[in-house]
Amino acid sequence: MSKKILTAYYSHSGNTGEIASYIQKQTGGALFEIIPAVPYPTGYNDVVRQAKIEIQSGKKPELKTKINDTESYDIIFIGSPNWWGTIAPPVAAFLSEHDFSAKTIVPFCTHGGGGYGSIFKDISLLCPNSNILEGFEVFGKGNGNISEKINLWLNEIGIK
């Protein structure tokens, strides 16, 4: 029996979206973009300021995109940029809106030099009854061999 896979992600600059697309191409399944109802500012300093305020206050923005059938998926890849050492608020909102109990959650993140911070731990806190696999992190959108690295990681965690 093959597993039904969902790759859900939030991407502000496009980097996380590119990684999500690579993962989806390697694993199949559905690709779902998490989009906040009110877009974040495009200016770097403005988005950094807003993200910091939202993360510190625990705000989870309303989402424009909705997915109603998460219960039908066995494996959910969750992608986020590293914002202030954790997941972007739209990802927190998405995870809070759904019950992923007994699901396999596979986190991945993009960053500008901060690594994965507490992203993987924070996802596990929002999905306490899920099986959380080893995550994947990449600087920016990776380089020319990112597809190779993703394929290796998927093999290591037993998805491929």
Side-chain angles (χ1 to χ4, degrees):
M1 179 178 158
S2 67
K3 302 283 185 181
K4 192 167 178 194
I5 298 174
L6 171 67
T7 302
Y9 69 95
Y10 169 72
S11 190
H12 182 263
S13 68
N15 291 342
T16 309
E18 284 195 39
I19 300 303
S21 292
Y22 283 125
I23 291 169
Q24 190 272 334
K25 286 175 187 158
Q26 295 284 346
T27 62
L31 186 63
F32 177 76
E33 184 176 6
I34 301 165
I35 301 173
V38 177
Y40 282 88
T42 55
Y44 178 79
N45 291 332
D46 294 332
V47 76
V48 165
R49 187 173 20 267
Q50 181 175 334
K52 182 178 184 181
I53 291 167
E54 288 182 1
I55 290 166
Q56 288 177 339
S57 71
K59 180 180 178 187
K60 295 177 180 81
E62 181 182 341
L63 300 179
K64 178 179 178 179
T65 52
K66 303 287 183 189
I67 187 166
N68 297 319
D69 66 342
T70 57
E71 58 280 340
S72 68
Y73 293 97
D74 305 298
I75 300 170
I76 298 99
F77 285 85
I78 300 291
S80 178
N82 175 338
W83 280 8
W84 292 99
T86 189
I87 53 178
V91 175
F94 176 79
L95 292 173
S96 297
E97 287 180 4
H98 300 283
D99 180 6
F100 292 118
S101 295
K103 305 289 183 186
T104 297
I105 303 294
V106 190
F108 64 96
C109 77
T110 57
H111 60 84
Y116 58 82
S118 65
I119 286 174
F120 304 153
K121 178 182 75 81
D122 294 341
I123 287 174
S124 69
L125 292 172
L126 289 169
C127 302
N129 300 311
S130 302
N131 176 31
I132 311 290
L133 297 186
E134 180 184 339
F136 181 79
E137 56 96 8
V138 62
F139 179 83
K141 58 184 167 190
N143 55 26
N145 67 346
I146 190 64
S147 188
E148 226 174 87
K149 287 180 180 178
I150 289 170
N151 197 38
L152 179 63
W153 165 64
L154 292 171
N155 282 318
E156 287 172 359
I157 62 173
I159 299 292
K160 283 192 80 175

